[in-house]
Amino acid sequence: MSSDAAAPATGSVPRAKSTGLHKGDIRPGVPKVDPIVVADGVKRTFGGLTAVDVEHLEIPRGAITALIGPNGAGKTTLFNLLTGFDKPDSGTWTFEGRSLAGVPAFKVSQRGQVRTFQLTKSLGLLTVLENMKLGAKGQIGESFWAGLFPFLWRKQEEEAEAKALELLTRFKLDAKKDDFAASLSGGQRKLLEMARALMSDPTLVMLDEPMAGVNPALTQSLLEHILDLKEQGMTVLFVEHDMHMVRHIADWVVVMAEGKVVAEGPPDTVMKDPAVIDAYLGAHQDVDLGVVTGRYEGELPSGAGEELAAEIEHEHEADAPAQQKRKGRA
Amino acid sequence: MDWLTIFGNTASSLIGPATLGYALAAIGLAVHFGFAGLLNMGIAAYMAIGAYGYAISILTFGLPWWVGVIIAMIASVVFSLILGIPTLRLRGDYLAIVTIAAAEIVRLLFLSTTFDEYTGSADGLSGYHNSFRESNPLPEGTYGFGPWEYTHNAWWVRIIGILLVALAVLIVWAIMRSPWGRVLRGIREDEDAVRALGKNVFSYKMQALILGGIFGSLGGIVYALPSSVNPGVYVTSLTFFVWTALLLGGAATIFGPVLGAIIYWVVQTLLSNILPALVTAGVLPFMSTSQAQTLRFILVGVALMLLVIFRPQGILGNKKELTFVK
Amino acid sequence: MSSTNRVRARRARWRTATLVAFVGAFMMLGTPAMADEVGEDEPFKISGNVKLDGEPLENIRLTVTGNGVDEEVETDAEGQWRVGVPERATYTVTLDEETLPEGIAVVDETGEDTTPNEKEVEIGPGGRVTMNFFIGEGERNVTSFADQLISRTITGINFGLMLGLAAVGISLVFGTTGLSNFAHAEMVTFGAVIALLLGVTMSIPMWAAIPLTIIVSAGFGWLLDAGLWKPLRTRGLGVVQLMIVSIGLSLALRYVFQYFIGGGTLQLPGAATAKFTLFGAVQLSWIDIASMGVSIAVIIGFAVWLLFSKIGKATRAVSDNASLAAASGIDVDRVVRIVWIVAAAMAGLSGILYAYYRPGIKWDMGAQILLLVFAAVTLGGLGTAFGALIGAIIVGVMVEISGLWIPSDLKYVGALGILILVLLFRPQGILGRKERIG
């Protein structure tokens, strides 16, 4: 994991996991000591298909929570709902005690709950620095009339630039600051998107598959960045397929299947939960999903493992049309 | 063949009211499409609203010409709000179809005999020049040299047109280098990403629609300023012609729309003078003079296709900065 | 500014496409054109006098229709009116009895004519003709609302089927390639122009000329895909770029048509076929009936092809998800090529039928209905062929029926307004499905 691993704040020293996040027995929907997000009865259907049906879910503050589950479990849809990018059929949810139901996405973000996307959304024809400065909050120059008069916003712009350069240095993108974002590699775009989200000093950072499509050389550095966020007092919620990463950095894991929360708890406990095994891991609870998909080396029971791998492949394929679908049917 | 007349007319079109009107409309379209990514196929409606708003203010309500200009601008803002509230949430090509439909609705309303008293239906409107000409500071007479010799009234139209174009260029230049412009360009690239960063995307798109719409309506006024408002002008083809001018110069550039409008009209004027002359001179024996006039519109269509295929960034655009988001 | 008695030329570009015979009874719901003469620059004139007991009647509305003309005119203070028409042909003049004073109507002297306020006139050798109506006390010739509704619905279905032939093609092309093809309008005009070339210029009988036209249109579709769209797909142009290319193509083609056929209106043989009363107030010509029959037959054939043939199934698969279809061994390029051929053939047929429906062939006839076709496609849900068909029939019927309440020169406004409303409330159309975000 070479030099990428050397994040300036803490390096790759193993860091302590947050514990004691919940109250009472561990079960789906368990109350948290200090929840930052509380969702109740959130339901979203597409036609006849129920994508999300969450009775009760609390996300603990100041911790890293992973949202896992097989493809089509409704993770991204739940993300979209919580961030205002999609509207549920019913349900309420709060962020820091204030209701977010019906609040448009940009206001959700202004309140300090910032997200990234599964497919990176770097703004290709803006430079890396412009991308970063776009993330800054409360800019005077972003109002039309003030925008016409540079002396009103020049000072603020310089501050935003300084902050952007600092973050870019941390994310090792400072050399690329004047390049178009379109010229970055996939992994660099992921980093840029995360760095951009941090420009607004969020309270809750929601990362949708931060590792998807990232060059393994960058993986470790991304992990360190996520751990840094927690250290700086932010709450992190992320969707991930990679069990290795989940085990490595998550303090709390929420498992979804078929739109419902089927289990939650600390990573090691959750992996042994029969509901998770049923819903997600089949009979191979001891096997890293990373091993199954071939991303990591490890022991895989013969025969049965290939079955699961085939199943996962199948799920990938089944999911693809749903995501690429833009048009109706002839 | 009278080469002198042909080149004189062509040179004259450099600062003709049609050129200036197209330049303003193309600047508006650059704000819509080049910077905000809004696929507005209804710029003709904005030009119609400008021209009719101006003429009706003067003819029906007897207002001075500059009040007419203000009213036309307000009317274009109202149209932007009516058009934008339902449609700005739509995806690119849907937006194109809706805006072109809205433009047709506007045109049909102006053309309908129902509002004949105000719009003159198919006759259009004319005879609204008094107030404008009275405010002309130039003493009566002819000014200029060579092909640019005009009467004081013709100069007054051109001066106002040039001032408006300059003002529009200045505003677009100033606003697009500000954080406001940055948000707008971000929306062009990916509006969800900008939304996730806490910007009210809908509001920015609406502001862009309004700003570009005002330029479009001013373009309509300048186009109609010297002569009359003719409903036959504001057809969908006008929208396509302005698009051609815009893409010629470069959609996401400051001076591109102006350059594009100038090239468009210089070439149009040249062709409309030279082709019939060639036919008369027997150089194009297989063609009638009216066919020669049609030929230049065929060429516009072909030029539009070639531009989009081979140089979508336009003459002034940066090769890397293609405005077409795939 | 009062504009009474002003001279004007009212020439709607989006010419109202109502069937000639129906216009008479329905135009009474239109709005007045405050003028004594329209089309003054046209070479031939129809004129007349409207008087009651020797006294001139002012502001009496008349309409002149037929041969691609649909003009409204009002009498001046002397009770006179005059309409210019482009060709020496037969026109229908209708006096709007609603505009006559109370208790006054057009009287029928022979006692045989059930619609005395509606007369056929033929331009005489002198290039002009006078048409006077006998006016006196009597019962007005008014068609009941229900009758109007029925006959307009039937006209609308005919119009809608014709739009449908074009809409299905646009929808198929959009579904398989993502292109919103503005040049589809010119593929419609192409059909009409080729039919003109074969049927009139080359004097081939229409029964042979029409199938030949469809074959030529299909070839045109092949040419467009092979010569333009396939190479552009290979170049990797985005859908927005492709759309603007199609706009350029649309402009170029429509002026090519104007280059060859000029700016006037031309007729196919048999366009002036007489109408007969089918039942009640419903009047149709054999051409109308044949047109509806052909449309229905072609659409059924198309549906069977799309639903059951191998290529039809492949087409639907490509519309659904092109990369998945390609991965399952479907030759996407071949499917798209066939889609272009089918779409162009149906557009060509639509053009022939439209030439009879308007009636007349004009260089920009396709562009006149393009937005109605888009409205139909959007209403049904972009990319769904059957949705487009249903959308087309709804649009066709709505355009005709809305004329009962709104001025005839604004009847397309209603359809376009609906297009915007649909996008506002149900952007996926009637048959489309909601898309998933993220």
Side-chain angles (χ1 to χ4, degrees):
Chain A
M1 290 299 142
S2 72
S3 63
D4 277 323
T10 47
S12 55
V13 184
R15 288 179 257 197
K17 297 241 176 166
S18 308
T19 51
L21 298 166
H22 61 287
K23 292 191 283 200
D25 292 337
I26 291 184
R27 61 190 154 80
V30 62
K32 305 295 179 315
V33 176
D34 183 10
I36 189 165
V37 172
V38 181
D40 272 298
V42 176
K43 192 169 178 183
R44 176 72 166 105
T45 54
F46 295 102
L49 183 84
T50 305
V52 165
D53 184 5
V54 171
E55 275 175 35
H56 186 80
L57 178 65
E58 297 184 4
I59 307 295
R61 183 190 304 276
I64 299 178
T65 304
L67 188 58
I68 64 167
N71 283 314
K75 304 179 299 291
T76 296
T77 307
L78 181 64
F79 246 58
N80 288 340
L81 293 172
L82 292 181
T83 48
F85 277 84
D86 195 2
K87 287 193 175 62
D89 306 344
S90 60
T92 57
W93 64 104
T94 60
F95 171 65
E96 295 193 308
R98 290 168 74 193
S99 173
L100 276 189
V103 175
F106 75 93
K107 282 195 181 152
V108 171
S109 166
Q110 284 173 358
R111 288 188 189 178
Q113 181 186 327
V114 175
R115 72 169 293 182
T116 66
F117 294 87
Q118 186 179 342
L119 300 166
T120 40
K121 293 187 182 293
S122 58
L123 306 168
L125 300 185
L126 269 61
T127 65
V128 169
L129 190 59
E130 280 179 318
N131 261 278
M132 292 296 289
K133 288 198 275 192
L134 196 56
K137 264 208 297 204
Q139 297 185 58
I140 300 163
E142 284 184 1
S143 100
F144 178 79
W145 295 110
L148 286 174
F149 304 103
F151 63 88
L152 291 175
W153 44 265
R154 188 156 285 148
K155 187 162 170 287
Q156 200 187 25
E157 181 82 354
E158 281 160 8
E159 287 164 13
E161 189 160 330
K163 184 172 179 182
L165 288 174
E166 188 193 313
L167 273 167
L168 285 177
T169 315
R170 221 168 90 196
F171 281 78
K172 301 215 179 331
L173 288 170
D174 45 335
K176 302 241 175 211
K177 71 184 172 72
D178 294 322
D179 294 5
F180 281 126
S183 68
L184 298 182
S185 74
Q188 285 172 323
R189 284 186 218 180
K190 284 266 175 197
L191 284 173
L192 173 61
E193 201 181 353
M194 203 198 282
R196 193 176 63 195
L198 298 181
M199 281 294 288
S200 64
D201 299 316
T203 328
L204 170 62
V205 182
M206 295 175 65
L207 308 170
D208 196 350
E209 300 200 20
M211 294 298 161
V214 175
N215 173 355
L218 275 172
T219 318
Q220 192 60 34
S221 118
L222 251 169
L223 288 182
E224 295 299 334
H225 286 308
I226 295 173
L227 287 167
D228 286 346
L229 299 183
K230 181 177 128 186
E231 224 138 88
Q232 288 160 16
M234 290 175 232
T235 306
V236 179
L237 174 64
F238 70 99
V239 170
E240 192 48 70
H241 279 292
D242 181 350
M243 286 304 160
H244 175 77
M245 169 177 172
V246 171
R247 274 191 176 152
H248 185 63
I249 65 168
D251 303 313
W252 192 262
V253 177
V254 176
V255 187
M256 285 184 77
E258 289 164 1
K260 293 185 164 60
V261 174
V262 292
E264 57 176 302
D268 293 333
T269 325
V270 159
M271 302 297 175
K272 294 190 174 68
D273 188 316
V276 181
I277 296 159
D278 275 1
Y280 193 24
L281 301 171
H284 313 286
Q285 71 272 34
D286 295 331
V287 182
D288 238 335
L289 196 62
V291 176
V292 176
T293 55
R295 280 179 56 187
Y296 294 95
E297 284 187 25
E299 287 273 282
L300 192 63
S302 60
E306 281 155 28
E307 250 176 65
L308 180 62
E311 246 171 61
I312 289 163
E313 276 306 307
H314 182 72
E315 277 168 5
H316 268 288
E317 276 175 19
D319 208 37
Q323 289 179 4
Q324 292 175 7
K325 194 152 172 48
R326 303 165 39 238
K327 304 163 277 195
R329 260 154 230 274
Chain B
M1 261 164 60
D2 186 357
W3 288 102
L4 208 64
T5 316
I6 291 172
F7 286 119
N9 287 341
T10 305
S12 172
S13 69
L14 269 175
I15 53 165
T19 310
L20 297 170
Y22 266 53
L24 277 165
I27 293 170
L29 209 49
V31 173
H32 288 162
F33 174 69
F35 293 104
L38 299 171
L39 213 51
N40 176 17
M41 285 287 162
I43 197 71
Y46 281 102
M47 295 178 76
I49 285 168
Y52 276 99
Y54 176 76
I56 291 173
S57 301
I58 295 171
L59 292 174
T60 306
F61 300 103
L63 298 166
W65 73 276
W66 55 272
V67 181
V69 173
I70 294 170
I71 287 179
M73 286 163 69
I74 293 172
S76 80
V77 172
V78 172
F79 180 65
S80 289
L81 292 171
I82 295 171
L83 181 67
I85 289 170
T87 59
L88 285 181
R89 291 182 173 88
L90 298 172
R91 217 180 61 214
D93 41 0
Y94 274 87
L95 185 67
I97 293 172
V98 171
T99 47
I100 202 169
E104 275 300 291
I105 291 178
V106 167
R107 187 179 69 83
L108 290 172
L109 287 174
F110 281 130
L111 186 64
S112 168
T113 52
T114 314
F115 312 108
D116 182 73
E117 200 183 329
Y118 308 103
T119 61
S121 59
D123 287 345
L125 297 168
S126 55
Y128 44 76
H129 306 295
N130 285 346
S131 162
F132 179 72
R133 288 178 184 164
E134 274 162 22
S135 66
N136 187 355
L138 299 171
E140 223 168 294
T142 319
Y143 303 89
F145 60 93
W148 297 285
E149 199 171 298
Y150 307 110
T151 65
H152 60 295
N153 279 332
W155 267 116
W156 186 220
V157 168
R158 282 162 178 78
I159 289 168
I160 291 292
I162 290 169
L163 285 178
L164 286 174
V165 169
L167 187 67
V169 166
L170 184 69
I171 290 175
V172 172
W173 171 78
I175 199 65
M176 288 311 162
R177 61 201 272 276
S178 77
W180 188 89
R182 187 165 62 213
V183 177
L184 211 59
R185 284 181 296 133
I187 291 170
R188 178 188 75 197
E189 302 297 308
D190 191 323
E191 58 176 78
D192 274 343
V194 176
R195 200 171 275 133
L197 295 172
K199 321 290 177 199
N200 187 347
V201 168
F202 180 78
S203 163
Y204 279 99
K205 281 186 179 179
M206 183 59 93
Q207 291 173 44
L209 191 67
I210 288 173
L211 179 68
I214 288 175
F215 294 147
S217 70
L218 291 175
I221 294 174
V222 171
Y223 192 88
L225 207 48
S227 49
S228 62
V229 181
N230 173 5
V233 168
Y234 308 100
V235 290
T236 49
S237 301
L238 174 64
T239 296
F240 301 156
F241 294 155
V242 176
W243 266 89
T244 308
L246 173 75
L247 293 174
L248 200 59
T253 61
I254 306 290
F255 289 104
V258 181
L259 180 69
I262 289 174
I263 295 175
Y264 179 89
W265 273 105
V266 166
V267 172
Q268 278 283 308
T269 314
L270 182 68
L271 288 178
S272 76
N273 280 283
I274 213 168
L275 286 174
L278 288 175
V279 170
T280 317
V283 182
L284 303 167
F286 46 87
M287 212 182 269
S288 71
T289 45
S290 68
Q291 281 178 326
Q293 291 291 0
T294 308
L295 180 62
R296 66 199 167 104
F297 292 110
I298 300 176
L299 294 176
V300 173
V302 172
L304 180 57
M305 289 166 72
L306 294 177
L307 261 176
V308 177
I309 297 169
F310 295 108
R311 200 170 166 87
Q313 74 273 30
I315 293 170
L316 295 184
N318 180 343
K319 177 98 192 178
K320 276 189 213 150
E321 196 169 351
L322 297 176
T323 33
F324 294 94
V325 182
K326 287 186 185 169
Chain C
M1 37 163 259
S2 161
S3 54
T4 316
N5 296 341
R6 240 180 30 193
V7 174
R8 76 178 53 253
R10 195 182 76 86
R11 316 223 56 225
R13 189 164 299 250
W14 276 49
R15 212 179 283 277
T16 47
T18 325
L19 276 175
V20 173
F22 293 142
V23 175
F26 302 139
M27 272 303 173
M28 48 188 70
L29 292 138
T31 41
M34 317 268 281
D36 61 344
E37 181 171 332
V38 299
E40 57 160 0
D41 49 344
E42 301 285 6
F44 303 106
K45 295 270 189 280
I46 306 173
S47 60
N49 243 325
V50 181
K51 284 183 179 166
L52 178 64
D53 303 331
E55 285 297 310
L57 292 176
E58 198 182 345
N59 293 343
I60 305 302
R61 192 189 321 139
L62 298 108
T63 48
V64 175
T65 55
N67 200 32
V69 171
D70 184 350
E71 305 282 9
E72 266 183 30
V73 66
E74 288 204 350
T75 55
D76 63 11
E78 279 75 52
Q80 291 177 337
W81 59 274
R82 206 157 43 239
V83 173
V85 288
E87 277 150 274
R88 193 189 297 271
T90 306
Y91 298 90
T92 306
V93 180
T94 308
L95 188 144
D96 182 354
E97 294 186 308
E98 295 266 301
T99 57
L100 289 173
E102 200 65 38
I104 302 300
V106 179
V107 286
D108 172 34
E109 295 183 311
T110 60
E112 286 162 11
D113 195 349
T114 51
T115 55
N117 64 324
E118 190 182 306
K119 304 262 190 197
E120 299 252 310
V121 291
E122 205 177 337
I123 305 285
R128 43 192 70 237
V129 63
T130 310
M131 178 72 242
N132 288 328
F133 291 94
F134 297 94
I135 293 175
E137 288 178 25
E139 207 172 303
R140 287 180 186 177
N141 176 47
V142 178
T143 314
S144 80
F145 182 80
D147 279 351
Q148 289 188 36
L149 195 65
I150 292 168
S151 66
R152 285 204 169 214
T153 306
I154 291 177
T155 316
I157 290 172
N158 189 12
F159 186 41
L161 284 169
M162 196 203 75
L163 288 178
L165 288 174
V168 164
I170 283 201
S171 181
L172 275 182
V173 167
F174 179 83
T176 48
T177 66
L179 165 67
S180 306
N181 182 22
F182 279 71
H184 205 80
E186 277 58 44
M187 288 157 71
V188 170
T189 316
F190 182 82
V193 170
I194 293 298
L196 184 77
L197 176 73
L198 296 175
V200 178
T201 315
M202 295 167 67
S203 303
I204 299 172
M206 283 318 278
W207 59 264
I210 290 176
L212 275 175
T213 302
I214 294 171
I215 292 168
V216 175
S217 296
F220 186 51
W222 176 86
L223 185 73
L224 282 178
D225 189 50
L228 181 67
W229 300 115
K230 171 77 205 311
L232 292 188
R233 282 199 301 278
T234 315
R235 264 182 88 94
L237 260 69
V239 289
V240 170
Q241 264 169 296
L242 287 175
M243 187 185 87
I244 299 177
V245 172
S246 86
I247 288 173
L249 179 65
S250 164
L251 276 180
L253 284 177
R254 85 173 71 146
Y255 287 107
V256 167
F257 296 142
Q258 192 190 24
Y259 185 95
F260 287 109
I261 69 169
T265 301
L266 300 161
Q267 295 295 343
L268 288 178
T273 313
K275 292 174 185 293
F276 54 88
T277 306
L278 202 61
F279 59 86
V282 179
Q283 289 187 314
L284 292 174
S285 69
W286 283 114
I287 297 272
D288 297 329
I289 293 169
S291 163
M292 283 164 92
V294 168
S295 305
I296 291 170
V298 168
I299 284 165
I300 290 173
F302 166 76
V304 169
W305 174 80
L306 193 64
L307 287 175
F308 301 112
S309 78
K310 207 176 160 195
I311 285 289
K313 286 178 184 166
T315 305
R316 284 184 295 145
V318 173
S319 291
D320 225 32
N321 186 324
S323 43
L324 194 65
S328 4
I330 293 174
D331 182 350
V332 175
D333 275 330
R334 182 162 162 263
V335 168
V336 170
R337 179 67 47 88
I338 290 168
V339 160
W340 272 103
I341 292 170
V342 170
M346 287 170 81
L349 175 62
S350 173
I352 301 170
L353 300 181
Y354 186 40
Y356 281 113
Y357 179 92
R358 293 178 74 229
I361 294 169
K362 206 159 173 264
W363 61 283
D364 65 346
M365 61 188 278
Q368 290 172 12
I369 53 164
L370 177 68
L371 287 178
L372 290 186
V373 177
F374 269 131
V377 172
T378 316
L379 194 60
L382 273 176
T384 68
F386 295 126
L389 192 59
I390 293 168
I393 291 173
I394 293 174
V395 167
V397 170
M398 215 186 58
V399 163
E400 286 301 326
I401 289 183
S402 67
L404 284 170
W405 294 281
I406 59 176
S408 60
D409 58 2
L410 287 180
K411 64 182 181 178
Y412 286 2
V413 168
L416 298 178
I418 291 282
L419 164 70
I420 293 175
L421 288 179
V422 168
L423 286 171
L424 181 53
F425 293 111
R426 202 180 154 78
Q428 72 273 36
I430 301 169
L431 295 187
R433 283 197 230 149
K434 284 195 176 175
E435 24 179 304
R436 197 183 134 172
I437 308 168

